[in-house]
Amino acid sequence: MEGILISHITIQERIRAMCGQIAEDYKDKDLYALVVLKGAIPFFTELLFNSNMTLPFEYGPIKVSSYEGTKSKTLRVEQFDFNDVTGKDVLLVEDILDTGNTLSHLLQPLQQSASSVRTAVLLDKPERREKPINADYIGFTIPNVFVVGYGMDFNNRFRYLQHIGVLKKSMYEK
Ligand code: 5GP
Ligand code: MG
């Protein structure tokens, strides 16, 4: 690990503030939090299960897999029935907005069935964007570094760390 980028206490304080904002914005809506597996689980838990959340809400998981083809990476949504969110005010909860490919891929079918769709991301890396997309709720904007911890992994490891840390370049660059 190169070092800690965002400490656990800073993460918690920021997410609580985001929760207050969401509770206010959704007070007359029918909130359905759609959690993008697996990275967004800690963020989602902190975001909606605290005393700033004053609204009833539903939640469910969604999983996106990427398949490395010969030419490009294709994304596929696994076992999700978009009818489940018909008429709901969906809040898509994701760990990182990076190139934007994942969220763009999810937004289009969701917008067809849901009554409204917004996105909440813990981290935003705007420098890496390939798709014209921005999140509605953003925890922290960070530079172009590879982070792990607080749900985010490197080869499925380090998700359990409470702080968000920067991984040493030597771990993933040859
Ligand atoms: P996008 O489709 O926006 O490029 O990527 C979103 C996904 O890429 C995130 O949900 C996350 O799984 C992964 N990702 C992007 N940047 C990082 C990073 O710095 N660390 C980790 N662990 N995953 C990342
Ligand atoms: Mg992810």
Side-chain angles (χ1 to χ4, degrees):
M1 208 69 65
E2 185 104 4
I4 292 176
L5 185 67
I6 311 170
S7 71
H8 190 218
I9 182 78
T10 306
I11 298 168
Q12 287 178 310
E13 281 171 6
R14 175 66 193 128
I15 297 177
R16 272 192 156 250
M18 293 173 84
C19 177
Q21 183 67 52
I22 289 166
E24 174 65 23
D25 294 352
Y26 281 83
K27 61 174 186 263
D28 300 316
K29 295 183 184 259
D30 189 5
L31 174 59
Y32 191 111
L34 199 51
V35 189
V36 184
L37 297 180
K38 307 174 189 171
I41 293 175
F43 172 44
F44 160 71
T45 307
E46 192 91 47
L47 185 65
L48 297 185
F49 296 86
N50 73 65
S51 55
N52 281 355
M53 190 61 204
T54 49
L55 307 174
F57 63 93
E58 281 182 64
Y59 69 87
I62 192 163
K63 190 164 171 38
V64 184
S65 299
S66 59
Y67 294 84
E68 207 80 59
T70 49
K71 285 202 184 101
S72 64
K73 242 175 152 182
T74 47
L75 295 176
R76 202 181 70 186
V77 178
E78 289 186 12
Q79 299 174 350
F80 185 78
D81 185 355
F82 284 90
N83 293 320
D84 289 353
V85 295
T86 301
K88 306 280 179 190
D89 295 298
V90 170
L91 181 65
L92 199 51
V93 182
E94 170 67 312
D95 52 4
I96 306 192
L97 175 53
D98 189 37
T99 62
N101 288 314
T102 308
L103 284 189
S104 327
H105 187 77
L106 290 172
L107 279 177
Q108 203 212 350
L110 283 172
Q111 277 158 347
Q112 284 172 10
S113 38
S115 157
S116 71
V117 186
R118 284 186 186 170
T119 51
V121 300
L122 179 58
L123 303 178
D124 184 14
K125 285 199 230 175
E127 288 168 37
R128 295 255 309 160
R129 208 77 89 244
E130 292 171 7
K131 293 278 161 66
I133 175 175
N134 285 305
D136 298 288
Y137 303 94
I138 297 166
F140 304 90
T141 299
I142 63 165
N144 182 16
V145 290
F146 193 85
V147 295
V148 293
Y150 210 78
M152 292 165 285
D153 72 307
F154 174 66
N155 290 342
N156 258 314
R157 289 187 296 168
F158 308 121
R159 288 192 199 275
Y160 62 88
L161 297 174
Q162 292 196 311
H163 305 291
I164 293 174
V166 177
L167 200 66
K168 276 208 177 92
K169 273 220 169 78
S170 59
M171 289 284 289
Y172 57 93
E173 274 184 1
K174 290 270 149 59

